[in-house]
Amino acid sequence: MAKGPTKEMWKRILAIMIAVCVVAFGTVGIRLFGLMVVDAEEYQAKALSQQLKDITIEPKRGAIYDRNMNYLATSSTAWTIYISPNDIANDEERDLVVNGLSEILGIDAETIREKTLKNNQYEIIKRQVEKPQTDEVRAYISEHGLGSTIGISETTKRYYPNDNLASAVLGFVGSENQGLYGLESQYDSVLQGVSGRIIASKNAKGEDMPFTYQKIIEAQEGNSLVLTIDSTIQYYVENALSKAVIDNNVQQRGCAIAMNVNTGEILAMATKPDFNPNDPFTIYDTAEAARIETLTGEEKSKAISEAQYKQWRNKAITEVYYPGSVFKIVTGSAAIEEGVVNANSTFDCSGSIKIADTIFKCHKRSGHGHQNLMEVFQNSCNPAFILMGQGLGAETFFKYFKAYGLTEKTGIDLPGEEMSIYYTAEQMGPVELASESFGQTINLTPIQLITAIAAAVNGGYLVQPHVVKQIIDSDGNVVENIEPEVKRQVISEETSLFMRELLENVVTNGSGKNAYVAGYRVGGKTGTSQKQNLKNEDGSITKYISSFCGIAPADDPEIAIIVLLDEANVANYYGSAIAAPVVGQIFEEVLPYMDVEAVYTEEELAEMDIKVPDVQGKSVTEAKNAIKAAELNVTVIGDGDTVQKQVPAAQQSISKGGTVVIYTGDPLEQSMTEVPNFINMTPAQVNNAAAKAKINVKYSGTGVSGSQLLAYQQSVESGTKVEAGTTITVYFRHNDSSD
């Protein structure tokens, strides 16, 4: 008879069972501990990724306004197209996603396919999609049942309503709405806002269950910028600068700044040619674009990058140059402040001066002869300013150079500001001091120079230049005011007052007369500087920078304007001939806009244009009498008794002796004529040519006596067909070759 398990055997069996259980449950416990504690976050994330869909809500970027709250940059509605790779059921559905989005959005199919193979719930296919394409995607999703795979979220797209206007200041944004240049980059953290999120639960099929669980964290709109820029002044500046760059065949672009001399507010800042921030990667220099098209490979890619960077660069702050004679304002004001010269000082110019072993020439090779200080500024005499520099000495000269802020960046609130290059007092011998005294061998940015000149004429106070006036939130509440900042007083108010008188005389009687504007007191200084390391084999200079800085009103300055033309390819490249007229044109439009009252001399009143009387609807006899009473001529077209139309229109200004064409027939018989080429004509020749062509001319820049005036620009191109009686503006300048 078999015996059962003994007591000892049961003990061993029990021990083995307990050991097995301990090992089994221990293993399970350890695994559970790993899952629930050690790897808890990882598995929780995986679970959430399967159960929840997390979508980013992009914030609306803050706007950029001019000082009058006109939009310079804003954001319009656009859409982001995205996919959920983990929700693609099979290869057939993957093909539908790839092929459909590739065709609608114009994206390479393989690029989309790579994104469909990623292990996530949210993969962006394209940002900032316009409504027509978005509607196509919506229709495609509906047609093929791809609602859980392809998604659409609302976002914004940056838009610049004025295209090129102030583009070098504004900059632009990238595809992800991030600031890449200009103010968009400088104030990116202010403008971009805070992203939001949509978190929604999903069912086993991957479909959203918003009513089961959905949480929306709203995006926060970015703050907006209110600039010191005035869109109207910016337009006047850009229009005049563009014409100057084209007319003078400027090779290395031109730039201009208009600045409030008392507050440092930048009213306008322009570089031409520039770009359209709505399409910043297109090269707008047609000649350069054509050249690049002839290249291939890496050479072409490099050329494209260089051309893009060049057109984006804000020349007014990112490039240094020899300021030339405009810098004489700094030397002259320092010499007056230190008592080195005064109103009674005299100088003798023979055409050159020798300092140490170096001979410095005056731009007038025969010399200016005996001059007082007023005439020295008027003539822009190099030897006289060299003597002022020598009288100051290196240490004192450098003291004022530094006090005017020329040894440091201005700190303007724009990216990329360049640093000046100069000699310190210790590095400056007599020759270096001489060359710096009239604006050579030092490199400054235009923003540095106009800031210094503002100090020289505003009472002596160096102000902080800036382009942002306020930061406001989405409700229009002011977050921050940028107040005018005075850094220090450089010269006395008495010296500053004297400088204004000297600079006004430069425009009235001297090298700056092409900046004259009838009815307004304008001051300024011309400059023509040699470019570094650009000489012919015989040592002659071939490249120049032409510039002019003007102030107005000269007796109580409000605004300063600097214009710089880099490498003008014309025979008369002097700043007095090609830069001063540009500033004059800008002042002619800007000063009335700023409500600066015009006060005319008797001579100016005699030369003023006449406003055309309103004769429409009157009898022919009444119309003739009214027009003749206004000292204008009249031409009648038609055989009716009543005036049906007049050209020019009522209240339009034309020169004395101009012709008003009145139409009396019904229907009207339009009389057309061809615009003559007025370029290089004297005012008398222009008047004769205009009379023969039966058109009127409005003269600009002709209010100063002196050497012969010649036309250099006209508002309507020659050969254009216009209606008889049309008014064409013709711009004149003195063609003196002076610095």
Side-chain angles (χ1 to χ4, degrees):
M1 182 174 177
K3 294 182 178 181
T6 64
K7 189 175 182 180
E8 291 297 321
M9 290 175 67
W10 279 112
K11 285 181 179 179
R12 285 197 296 271
I13 291 169
L14 182 60
I16 291 169
M17 290 178 65
I18 290 172
V20 169
C21 288
V22 168
V23 171
F25 283 107
T27 302
V28 172
I30 291 170
R31 181 57 178 158
L32 286 173
F33 181 80
L35 291 172
M36 298 175 66
V37 179
V38 178
D39 299 323
E41 290 187 7
E42 178 185 349
Y43 285 98
Q44 187 178 27
K46 287 183 177 180
L48 287 173
S49 70
Q50 294 173 353
Q51 299 163 11
L52 298 175
K53 180 177 287 187
D54 191 344
I55 301 170
T56 299
I57 304 174
E58 295 183 13
K60 183 178 181 182
R61 193 172 178 86
I64 302 178
Y65 302 93
D66 82 341
R67 66 187 302 114
N68 299 313
M69 298 306 292
N70 299 308
Y71 279 110
L72 294 175
T74 186
S75 295
S76 57
T77 302
W79 289 266
T80 296
I81 309 299
Y82 64 91
I83 61 171
S84 177
N86 288 350
D87 291 327
I88 297 176
N90 48 49
D91 288 341
E92 182 181 352
E93 187 169 273
R94 177 172 283 104
D95 289 340
L96 281 172
V97 171
V98 170
N99 296 333
L101 294 184
S102 174
E103 182 178 348
I104 295 170
L105 301 178
I107 300 174
D108 179 65
E110 286 308 308
T111 300
I112 299 177
R113 188 174 296 280
E114 287 178 10
K115 292 189 176 186
T116 65
L117 297 172
K118 292 189 177 182
N119 183 26
N120 59 33
Q121 296 286 339
Y122 185 71
E123 193 69 30
I124 292 174
I125 299 299
K126 189 174 182 179
R127 299 176 187 270
Q128 298 183 351
V129 180
E130 301 285 357
K131 188 175 186 302
Q133 283 186 313
T134 302
D135 289 343
E136 285 188 59
V137 173
R138 284 198 180 97
Y140 189 79
I141 292 170
S142 177
E143 181 183 351
H144 297 282
L146 298 173
S148 63
T149 307
I150 302 175
I152 300 172
S153 63
E154 189 173 298
T155 183
T156 60
K157 183 175 182 179
R158 203 58 162 172
Y159 174 59
Y160 303 89
N162 301 300
D163 293 325
N164 292 51
L165 191 78
S167 60
V169 174
L170 298 173
F172 56 92
V173 299
S175 59
E176 298 183 15
N177 248 357
Q178 78 280 26
L180 293 182
Y181 216 81
L183 285 171
E184 295 280 25
S185 172
Q186 183 80 3
Y187 286 88
D188 189 45
S189 60
V190 173
L191 293 163
Q192 66 182 200
V194 180
S195 298
R197 298 170 69 190
I198 298 176
I199 304 171
S201 60
K202 300 188 302 178
N203 60 23
K205 296 180 181 179
E207 297 170 340
D208 291 347
M209 299 190 299
F211 299 106
T212 304
Y213 176 81
Q214 178 171 288
K215 184 175 182 180
I216 300 176
I217 303 172
E218 297 289 349
Q220 297 177 30
E221 184 176 336
N223 288 332
S224 297
L225 304 180
V226 180
L227 305 189
T228 61
I229 299 287
D230 186 304
S231 293
T232 301
I233 297 177
Q234 181 76 28
Y235 171 78
Y236 291 147
V237 168
E238 290 196 17
N239 189 46
L241 181 63
S242 293
K243 290 178 180 176
V245 167
I246 294 169
D247 290 348
N248 296 291
N249 195 16
V250 175
Q251 301 298 297
Q252 297 298 326
R253 305 196 300 165
C255 69
I257 305 170
M259 177 179 179
N260 183 313
V261 300
N262 299 305
T263 66
E265 292 181 340
I266 303 300
L267 304 175
M269 180 180 284
T271 299
K272 292 292 181 180
D274 53 6
F275 65 98
N276 188 335
N278 291 305
D279 186 17
F281 296 96
T282 294
I283 298 168
Y284 289 90
D285 185 329
T286 54
E288 181 64 10
R291 184 189 73 82
I292 290 173
E293 282 303 309
T294 64
L295 307 177
T296 57
E298 291 185 10
E299 187 181 10
K300 183 175 184 178
S301 298
K302 182 181 178 182
I304 290 173
S305 296
E306 289 176 349
Q308 288 172 338
Y309 178 67
K310 180 179 179 180
Q311 71 181 16
W312 298 337
R313 205 165 58 236
N314 185 346
K315 191 178 182 75
I317 67 168
T318 63
E319 296 180 21
V320 294
Y321 75 109
Y322 283 177
S325 293
V326 178
F327 182 80
K328 291 171 181 174
I329 295 172
V330 172
T331 303
S333 63
I336 294 167
E337 183 73 11
E338 288 294 316
V340 173
V341 296
N342 56 49
N344 299 317
S345 298
T346 59
F347 300 83
D348 291 296
C349 173
S350 63
S352 65
I353 186 172
K354 186 175 183 179
I355 301 295
D357 294 326
T358 302
I359 295 176
F360 293 92
K361 295 179 180 179
C362 191
H363 65 87
K364 186 177 181 182
R365 295 296 185 253
S366 61
H368 292 105
H370 192 69
Q371 317 161 88
N372 60 30
L373 187 60
M374 189 74 73
E375 291 168 330
V376 163
F377 271 87
Q378 174 182 315
N379 298 327
S380 193
C381 178
N382 289 346
F385 281 94
I386 289 172
L387 288 174
M388 289 185 214
Q390 299 294 311
L392 284 165
E395 193 170 320
T396 303
F397 176 87
F398 187 71
K399 181 184 78 170
Y400 282 92
F401 187 86
K402 185 176 182 180
Y404 271 118
L406 302 177
T407 61
E408 58 190 4
K409 297 178 182 179
T410 65
I412 190 170
D413 46 347
L414 286 168
E417 184 179 7
E418 188 55 83
M419 182 61 185
S420 53
I421 303 171
Y422 53 89
Y423 292 108
T424 63
E426 293 75 19
Q427 297 169 328
M428 211 182 300
V431 172
E432 290 78 16
L433 176 57
S435 61
E436 286 201 7
S437 297
F438 65 99
Q440 290 290 146
T441 69
I442 48 174
N443 284 271
L444 306 176
T445 58
I447 187 64
Q448 282 181 307
L449 189 58
I450 195 173
T451 303
I453 291 168
V457 300
N458 71 4
Y461 300 94
L462 187 71
V463 293
Q464 172 66 51
H466 59 285
V467 296
V468 175
K469 189 178 181 70
Q470 286 181 326
I471 298 174
I472 59 175
D473 65 19
S474 57
D475 295 321
N477 300 310
V478 176
V479 176
E480 182 181 356
N481 275 317
I482 290 79
E483 301 292 344
E485 177 188 345
V486 176
K487 294 182 176 181
R488 55 186 165 271
Q489 187 170 9
V490 183
I491 58 175
S492 66
E493 295 199 9
E494 292 76 17
T495 298
S496 180
L497 176 62
F498 189 24
M499 286 302 302
R500 298 199 289 266
E501 294 174 5
L502 292 168
L503 296 179
E504 184 175 15
N505 185 64
V506 170
V507 172
T508 305
N509 299 306
S511 59
K513 52 185 170 285
N514 280 323
Y516 170 88
V517 181
Y520 295 98
R521 296 178 65 176
V522 175
K525 187 71 194 72
T526 55
T528 310
S529 56
Q530 304 169 353
K531 293 199 73 172
Q532 303 175 64
N533 305 320
L534 292 173
K535 296 183 179 181
N536 295 321
E537 292 181 2
D538 62 0
S540 61
I541 306 296
T542 58
K543 306 294 182 182
Y544 296 87
I545 295 178
S546 313
S547 61
F548 181 83
C549 187
I551 60 164
D555 56 327
D556 186 17
E558 294 182 34
I559 182 174
I561 298 174
I562 192 169
V563 166
L564 180 151
L565 303 175
D566 194 345
E567 292 187 22
N569 191 13
V570 288
N572 192 348
Y573 50 78
Y574 284 92
S576 58
I578 64 174
V582 183
V583 175
Q585 283 183 40
I586 297 169
F587 275 142
E588 190 173 13
E589 295 180 300
V590 166
L591 294 176
Y593 170 75
M594 293 175 62
D595 292 325
V596 178
E597 184 179 1
V599 179
Y600 297 98
T601 65
E602 290 184 9
E603 293 80 2
E604 289 170 339
L605 287 170
E607 295 177 359
M608 281 185 65
D609 293 332
I610 295 171
K611 289 189 176 181
V612 176
D614 185 358
V615 296
Q616 194 160 322
K618 294 184 178 181
S619 69
V620 173
T621 301
E622 288 177 315
K624 283 182 176 181
N625 291 337
I627 292 169
K628 288 177 181 178
E631 300 183 57
L632 298 171
N633 298 314
V634 61
T635 296
V636 181
I637 296 178
D639 53 6
D641 298 323
T642 305
V643 177
Q644 304 295 321
K645 179 183 176 182
Q646 68 178 82
V647 180
Q651 298 304 303
Q652 187 171 335
S653 296
I654 62 175
S655 298
K656 283 184 179 179
T659 300
V660 179
V661 178
I662 58 175
Y663 294 86
T664 65
D666 192 14
L668 300 177
E669 181 184 346
Q670 194 174 32
S671 177
M672 303 299 291
T673 186
E674 186 174 299
V675 177
N677 183 1
F678 297 120
I679 306 303
N680 291 324
M681 287 186 180
T682 65
Q685 290 170 331
V686 167
N687 190 52
N688 290 334
K692 289 179 182 177
K694 296 181 181 179
I695 63 173
N696 292 296
V697 289
K698 181 181 179 182
Y699 298 98
S700 179
T702 61
V704 183
S705 60
S707 60
Q708 189 182 52
L709 290 163
L710 294 177
Y712 70 95
Q713 191 180 100
Q714 57 192 76
S715 60
V716 179
E717 287 187 20
S718 61
T720 305
K721 293 284 187 179
V722 298
E723 198 169 358
T726 298
T727 302
I728 309 294
T729 302
V730 181
Y731 300 88
F732 293 87
R733 67 184 176 198
H734 298 264
N735 269 351
D736 297 344
S737 297
S738 56
D739 192 7

